[in-house]
Amino acid sequence: MSYFHKYKSFEFQTIILMKDNFNDNSIDNNLWTLTNPNSLISEVNNRIEISNPHTGSIANFSNKLESVKTISSGQAVGSCFLDWTVPNTSESAGGIILWVDNNNYISITSRSTNGQFRILLRQAGVLVYDLSSDISKGTNIKITYDISTFLIKLYYWSNGWVQMGTTQTYNIGNNVKIVLSTSDEATFTGANIIQIDDLFFTNKEFTTQYPR
């Protein structure tokens, strides 16, 4: 079931602009714009599945789910449960992105071969931050971007939000969306399925596992 509304928590003063638990086997066109020329993205098994091919490569963001909602001021915060089958790839193979355009974005993606997260940050087309973490897949992750101060933080959930890497300061622009994408310029030599569930898009940081 998908939800598209504003809900204000007086405790955290967070507005949930969008949430989707992907449990009805149908992509909600009120929430998402689907670009899927290779038929790789589907809502099945109570989640989003992004199936990367056995061999070859896929252009960056050529297959994607792009949120209808945009945040243009304050904070943009995206979170979801992210898992994948371990592939054999030369690069990261897809995940969740706070996205302005193809040259300006923050992503947490699957890392090649070893089942851990990789963080990529591009500003004006330049890869300015690249962190291969030691955090294992199959947990909730969160990306925060302050549009006013340009502070960027990335987290995983382990009985509380734990920061991955260090705080970054880059202006990637405003009009931020959530994108779920097949790849970040991956070249595949083995099949891979990205699995995404329990997605939230809010205008403010939250400290609980799910915003409220």
Side-chain angles (χ1 to χ4, degrees):
M1 183 178 295
S2 303
Y3 304 86
F4 189 35
H5 65 110
K6 293 186 177 181
Y7 173 82
K8 191 167 185 178
S9 163
F10 292 99
E11 181 180 0
F12 295 101
Q13 297 294 297
T14 298
I15 297 177
I16 300 173
L17 299 180
M18 171 182 162
K19 66 179 179 179
D20 202 337
N21 57 14
F22 305 115
N23 69 351
D24 53 10
N25 294 324
S26 178
I27 292 173
D28 190 335
N29 294 327
N30 293 315
L31 297 181
W32 301 102
T33 299
L34 175 63
T35 303
N36 199 25
N38 302 108
S39 301
L40 302 180
I41 300 175
S42 57
E43 183 172 329
V44 293
N45 301 318
N46 296 317
R47 62 194 179 203
I48 288 293
E49 293 191 359
I50 304 174
S51 300
N52 288 306
H54 289 271
T55 59
S57 60
I58 299 175
N60 203 10
F61 304 121
S62 59
N63 293 253
K64 65 183 179 181
L65 275 176
E66 179 181 337
S67 67
V68 172
K69 291 296 291 185
T70 300
I71 294 178
S72 57
S73 62
Q75 290 182 314
V77 182
S79 71
C80 72
F81 179 85
L82 179 59
D83 200 359
W84 61 90
T85 57
V86 178
N88 181 15
T89 68
S90 64
E91 299 293 340
S92 55
I96 180 174
I97 301 103
L98 285 186
W99 183 87
V100 174
D101 56 41
N102 284 6
N103 294 314
N104 296 274
Y105 59 85
I106 311 153
S107 67
I108 299 180
T109 64
S110 61
R111 182 181 174 192
S112 56
T113 68
N114 63 359
Q116 296 172 332
F117 294 114
R118 185 180 182 188
I119 295 166
L120 297 170
L121 168 56
R122 290 189 188 273
Q123 181 191 48
V126 178
L127 183 61
V128 292
Y129 188 59
D130 183 351
L131 174 68
S132 293
S133 79
D134 58 358
I135 308 305
S136 296
K137 67 189 183 73
T139 190
N140 289 79
I141 54 86
K142 180 174 66 172
I143 307 173
T144 70
Y145 171 56
D146 193 305
I147 296 170
S148 301
T149 64
F150 314 132
L151 291 178
I152 297 165
K153 297 181 181 180
L154 304 105
Y155 302 89
Y156 70 98
W157 180 263
S158 179
N159 296 317
W161 289 111
V162 181
Q163 188 169 353
M164 290 189 284
T166 58
T167 301
Q168 301 295 303
T169 306
Y170 289 101
N171 180 6
I172 65 166
N174 50 23
N175 298 321
V176 180
K177 295 187 175 186
I178 286 279
V179 164
L180 310 178
S181 175
T182 47
S183 68
D184 192 344
E185 300 169 341
T187 300
F188 301 96
T189 56
N192 158 268
I193 300 176
I194 307 295
Q195 302 162 359
I196 298 172
D197 199 1
D198 294 330
L199 181 138
F200 292 86
F201 191 29
T202 76
N203 74 330
K204 190 175 169 72
E205 176 70 275
F206 52 90
T207 57
T208 51
Q209 184 172 10
Y210 304 107
R212 59 191 188 188

